Amino acid sequence: MRLIAPELVLMGLLHTVVSRMIYYPPHIETFSGSYIVEFDSSLDNHAHAIHATPGVSVRRRFTRAFNGAVVHARSGINPEHLAGLPGIKRMWPNRRHTLKLRQSKQNYTTPFLHEMTGVARAWRELGINGTGVKLCAVDTGVDWTHPELGNCWGTDGCAWQLGKDCIGDVYGNTDPPEIVPNDTPMDCGGHGTHVSGIMAARGPSVFGVAPGATMGMYRVYSCDTPEGGASTSDDVIMDGMESAHADNCDVINMSIGAMGWSEDPLAAFAAKLVEAGSLIIASAGNDGSHGIHTISSPSDGHGVLSVGSVDNWNVTQMGAVFSLPDGDRSVQISNAASNHVRFLFNKTVPLVLPDDDTGNYYGCESADSDYDGKVVVANNGGCDYTTIAQNVQGQGGVGLIIVNDQEGTFEYGVGEDITIPCISVSNTDGKAIISGLEQGDGTVMATTSTFAAIDSGFDGGRMSNFSAYGPSPELDLVPHLVAPGGNIWSTVLTSDDVYRSSSGTSLSSPYVSGCMALLRQRFTNYTNPQLHQALISAATPLVDTNGLFVNPYRTGAGLVNVYKALQSRTLIDPPYISINQTRMDGKKRTYSQIIKLTNMDANNAANVSLSHFPASSMTLYQNNTYAPLLLTDSLVPIWPPDSNPVTWDTLPQAFLPNSEQRVEAGQTIEFNVTVTAPYGLPESERWYFGGFFNFSVTFDDETQSTHFVCPYAGFNGEYTQIEMLGPKSQGYPSFSDSNGRPIDNVSELTIDPSDDLPTFNYTLDVPSIYSYIALIDRDNKTAGYLPGSDRTRLSRTRPAMNETNSIRVNNTVELDDKTIILGDGEYSLRLALLRPFGNRDDDNDYVYWNSDYFSFGK
């Protein structure tokens, strides 16, 4: 196998048919025959052509901002022909979405995080809590019967005034899916209820960011399917989005998404709603452990505010109070075991240690112990948890506490026959409990209002490992902000735990949505883009362990600071800078931009000083292959690697010719900035750089300055020429047999089309907007294209998951809109990938890879 130069490929026929049809890789699940269609004008102008096509019907229409519909085509209809109908702009297969909650290992309180983000100060000093703002979510629904969410729906004085059920309970359990909406968007999964608590819970155990807001919920997920997780599809989510837009929601939260492009259907639809006046905030995604280019769609949609996650500061886990001979002890306890029986005892219950011959308190032996009406405290490690629980339950015990053999609590599985509550405690707490019980009797009590709080230590306020990295496939700067999303304590179903901790950017997004509601309450005359500017520029950049700012492709502008945004009298435009392409200035790459600062104060002028702070650079590579830390520990290499001084040419630099200016009341000034990429870092190492422009603003009626930021980020090199395939050291591209075993010598491969077929596999280091695979004959001419290889908007593959793009290799190919069967002979496989920002019709904008020749035959 070998890489060949593009000019050698042009001798063969190149596949240049431009299609309006967008295809997904095989691992993306779609509904057969169902398509999202966007028209170039109103559907009414094209209805005749659709209805006149045999076997095609319109199932749902979108009219408010997106000229589109959901179209169903019977089996056998070529979607390319359907996409070729007059007036069709784009067409996507209708994707299936499954949602599963990311459970947290620890539970964290809300009050301290509100101090760190300025929310509590906004309540105390400004009296702003979201009153009068319509704050909505497109999610799994809400358990509006929760006491901290109002226990009401649609009544006078109730927070919940907007929303609907767009899907019902059974969707995903039927084929074809059936939509039977309920009267209210009642949650049956818990995700939307958790999100709702973060946005607007009223307390006393959970306080949302905007507890005074008028709330709306648009349920777009069904109940759990037999395969696990709540189910939905693109068109149902789009229905919820359009309904929220129609109800004039001031802020729409979308804790929904998957790695993708700005032209994926949900992102494109969101962008249309933004153009029509909606303010949409979306989660950046939870694939950050896989490094750069893992941002989710729709958060990368144009005009959508993308939010990443930091870990919380204070730990407040469900707790229990132990009364022991040496005194009372408030202890954190884990969530319930797999049987989901909550550890609740409103009155004190006796504690007991296991009675076994080992003396290790394992509880593995079924002895005639006096467990009746008692909670057993057992050490971890003696046997499986089901055996211990069966022994306790069988001898009349009413609960089981496992002492972890290391710090922290954990959740564990028990058999379906276990009906008693089973939880764990940390090693430190467990040892203290056992020591106390060795001295005498003890009891335990745990209620729904029993919590135990500690400081979370080093991780508080630092980036969550799962939080997705930018840039977008088009090199746009995302996420735009970060907020608390790691280990967030909030409301869940009243039929479940009532409160729980979960983690994910699904939880940082509603936090920022709540913050945006506070801004909308105060700045009623601001446009949505101005609200973006106010919140982004007021953020606090994060600092890494080396003392350098964290790259904006990781954090955006930094941690949200809503109090600062509410007090701001300046707006910065653009609020962030995406350096999609640099220009060569001698041996240096530079980028120039004008940044505008507007004084929103009608009475006071201000002095403005502009400075620049470089951020760390990031890469996936080390020694021309993936960095070992990326594959083993999910850590992205950064520069500088430590706190030692580095040469200035390895950091981005900025030229600021007019950095000191005065802005009069109500006026706008312009700053010219030029960024120089870190030319001291080898371009072959594929570094992504960034930094912050810092505006120090001092108004005439103030003595102290206030600082605002404008982040920027880009690629250190010619992004249009970046190597797109994964490193050769990973063993791809490659062929494998029907059992997944590698085929080492392709030149000796003979494929019998009537037998098991081999698979071609390849990986991508950067997203590709278009790809195809052709078979090339010995005359270097295109014999045909493998069916299904014509793919659009491919995401970067995740090496730690051994993720690949794969396709079966067969002699049945497509050529000139015909399906043909190739005769026996020798062929090479040619993979074509369109480079970033490439023109699909320009042969020179592709990177090509050719295999050795193999044979079809018996």
Side-chain angles (χ1 to χ4, degrees), residues 145-224:
T145 68
H146 198 291
E148 302 205 23
L149 297 176
N151 192 21
C152 60
W153 181 268
T155 57
D156 289 344
C158 179
W160 296 97
Q161 294 291 333
L162 305 168
K164 71 174 188 178
D165 186 351
C166 303
I167 192 166
D169 298 344
V170 298
Y171 188 95
N173 293 318
T174 60
D175 189 17
E178 183 178 4
I179 295 178
V180 186
N182 299 301
D183 293 336
T184 67
M186 177 58 73
D187 193 0
C188 58
H191 186 277
T193 301
H194 206 75
V195 162
S196 299
I198 293 168
M199 290 196 295
R202 269 62 174 169
S205 298
V206 176
F207 291 92
V209 175
T214 299
M215 298 300 294
M217 175 58 72
Y218 300 83
R219 182 187 174 199
V220 296
Y221 280 87
S222 69
C223 298
D224 285 358

Side-chain angles (χ1 to χ4, degrees), residues 754-787:
S754 63
D755 203 351
D756 292 335
L757 298 173
T759 299
F760 173 67
N761 316 286
Y762 64 97
T763 60
L764 288 176
D765 252 7
V766 292
S768 176
I769 195 168
Y770 176 65
S771 70
Y772 67 85
I773 296 174
L775 295 183
I776 310 300
D777 63 22
R778 273 294 187 180
D779 294 327
N780 202 27
K781 294 182 178 179
T782 302
Y785 304 92
L786 291 181

